[in-house]
Amino acid sequence: MKQSYRNIKGTFDILPIDHSADGSEVASSAQWQFIESTIRRVLGRYHFAEIRTPYLEPEGLFERSVGVDTDIVSKEMFTVPRPKETYVLRPEVTASVMRAYLQHHLAQQPLGQRLFYIGPCFRAERPQKGRFRQFHQFGAELIGSADPLADAEVIAAMIAVVEALGLEKLALRLNTLGSGDSRGVYVQALKEYLSRFERDLTETSRRRLVTNPLRILDTKVEHEREILADAPRLRAYVSDEDLAHYESVKSYLEALDLSYEEDPLLVRGLDYYCRTAFELESPNLGAQSAIAGGGRYDGLAQAIGWNEEVPGVGFAAGIERLLLALQLHHNALPAAAAPDLYLVTLGMEAGKWAFGLARDLRRLDITVALDVRSRSMKAQMKQANKLDARYVVIIGDAELDAGEVILKQMEEGTQQTLSFAGITEKLADICRSS
Ligand code: HAM
């Protein structure tokens, strides 16, 4: 039978199983939970507190922060038109976090300046390996400090999470984008230089020459890279203050022995950055090699309408890309926990009694599976095996009459009879002790 609905291209289901219908390896919900709990644990140690903002936001929030001329805003936003205004599905979270920070006066709250998040983002990109239309980011934002230590702190936190997940030897690329007027002067110089080669540029770069010339520095097209070899260097335009900030960030990273590569061509696809910009790459992920990226955004608050500068710096990582990198490294993630105990029952009365036992055991935090389809004993045993249950308790009407159950230890194949007296505690103790 043909199924009428399937998930939308570029989105995916997270299932309790670790393979899809075509047999390919996918991460199970238990593996997602493991990643998420690792993120929470590590970012918690860095003393970031979780923030959850809505998936729907006003369109203007991203137009004014990420920038109307960026790909993300000009081509990739999912919009939801409403009678009075247009909502969008958030393409990233930094602008939302800054909105919430300002709206709720988090500057005055002890827990308000170090915020982390985990959740879906939406971008209408062309789906391919490692690139989705609904994907999941986790990230951290440190708001309120212009100090270079804050930049190093978020980079250190980002690396701590990926290391805790077992990913090492990722390449950290670092650059300074300068700020304010000096960047304006540079953009003008770059524009003038590139205009001389306009005919040789790709259509995308020709468009960017008008809308967002800095992004051309990021090109992967070989002949454009050659043209860029002699282009004016951003670094030459960066102010002494910005350079000093950059040097301090590097020295803090060095204090932690964190290695990085300086990449003067690294620019990010979002407009709100100034000073520090960075990306974390996994060399074998191909085209979608960026696992995480971030930087400083001291102008963001003003861009979204605040009347004074609020310094901030942060990062976000793509969980799907992390999973791909983990797969490539053959890092096994933990599977779903098996039930402690499976209740095999036969007959209506025994079924009712066992139903009560299951509830009592679950109250004591024991994971209990049972059959709800009145299947044969053989089928129930088979199911217990498939689920990898550690123990099976067998109870039929005969056992009920005798006031006892049969307990089977599945791995060793041993079994014993237990009388009803104190049965819940007895079973709970056995499950806990092994
Ligand atoms: P971003 O570089 O646009 O930065 O995204 C961060 C990460 O999200 C990327 O490195 C990538 O791993 C993942 N990602 C982005 N698009 C997709 C996609 N279509 N499919 C799968 N994964 C994707 C930001 O979003 C900034 N808000 C980061 C930041 C935080 N800057 C300061 N604070």
Side-chain angles (χ1 to χ4, degrees), residues 92 94 123 125 130 132 137 141 268 272-273 290-291 314-315 318:
E92 61 109 49
T94 310
R123 295 185 191 175
E125 297 192 75
F132 300 90
Q137 280 191 349
E141 312 292 347
R268 307 253 311 123
Y272 50 59
Y273 293 113
I291 288 202
F315 78 88

Side-chain angles (χ1 to χ4, degrees), residues 114-188:
R114 301 171 68 104
L115 303 163
F116 85 86
Y117 47 86
I118 309 177
C121 293
F122 307 83
R123 295 185 191 175
E125 297 192 75
R126 196 165 51 79
Q128 51 182 278
K129 200 177 169 98
R131 198 204 266 169
F132 300 90
R133 295 187 149 190
Q134 177 175 339
F135 59 100
H136 300 77
Q137 280 191 349
F138 73 89
E141 312 292 347
L142 209 169
I143 306 180
S145 168
D147 196 294
L149 180 56
D151 308 43
E153 172 87 334
V154 296
I155 293 175
M158 168 181 81
I159 289 176
V161 176
V162 293
E163 278 184 1
L165 288 169
L167 282 177
E168 278 162 20
K169 308 225 167 19
L170 299 180
L172 172 64
R173 294 192 298 132
L174 196 65
N175 193 16
T176 177
L177 300 175
S179 55
D181 294 346
S182 63
R183 192 153 78 223
V185 177
Y186 172 69
V187 170
Q188 200 46 41

Side-chain angles (χ1 to χ4, degrees), residues 299-404:
L300 173 57
Q302 283 170 312
I304 60 174
W306 200 244
N307 53 10
E308 59 193 61
E309 185 172 293
V310 179
V313 57
F315 78 88
I319 300 185
E320 291 76 9
R321 299 211 185 148
L322 267 178
L323 283 166
L324 273 178
L326 286 168
Q327 233 180 51
L328 282 174
H329 285 68
H330 304 292
N331 287 22
L333 294 171
D340 296 312
L341 195 147
Y342 190 102
L343 278 177
V344 171
T345 64
L346 209 66
M348 181 72 178
E349 287 311 310
K352 272 198 244 169
W353 184 86
F355 194 38
L357 175 64
R359 191 233 3 231
D360 296 344
L361 284 166
R362 288 162 173 164
R363 279 184 174 155
L364 296 179
D365 234 10
I366 306 297
T367 308
V368 180
L370 48 76
D371 174 59
V372 289
R373 287 192 268 174
S374 305
R375 286 186 291 189
S376 71
M377 206 163 138
K378 198 170 150 204
Q380 292 184 52
M381 285 302 291
K382 212 164 142 188
Q383 180 70 1
N385 249 320
K386 269 198 206 155
L387 293 177
D388 232 2
R390 282 194 297 143
Y391 290 97
V392 165
V393 163
I394 302 166
I395 169 126
D397 288 342
E399 284 78 18
L400 193 64
D401 288 343
E404 57 191 29

Side-chain angles (χ1 to χ4, degrees), residues 57-98:
E57 290 277 10
E59 184 176 34
L61 178 65
F62 301 104
E63 287 177 342
R64 293 175 64 177
S65 56
V66 175
V68 275
D69 294 326
T70 59
D71 285 353
I72 295 177
V73 170
S74 67
K75 296 197 268 183
E76 297 166 3
M77 280 216 292
F78 284 105
T79 54
V80 185
R82 300 292 302 157
K84 291 207 178 109
E85 64 176 321
T86 298
Y87 304 154
V88 292
L89 288 169
R90 65 179 188 192
E92 61 109 49
V93 195
T94 310
S96 302
V97 171
M98 183 57 95

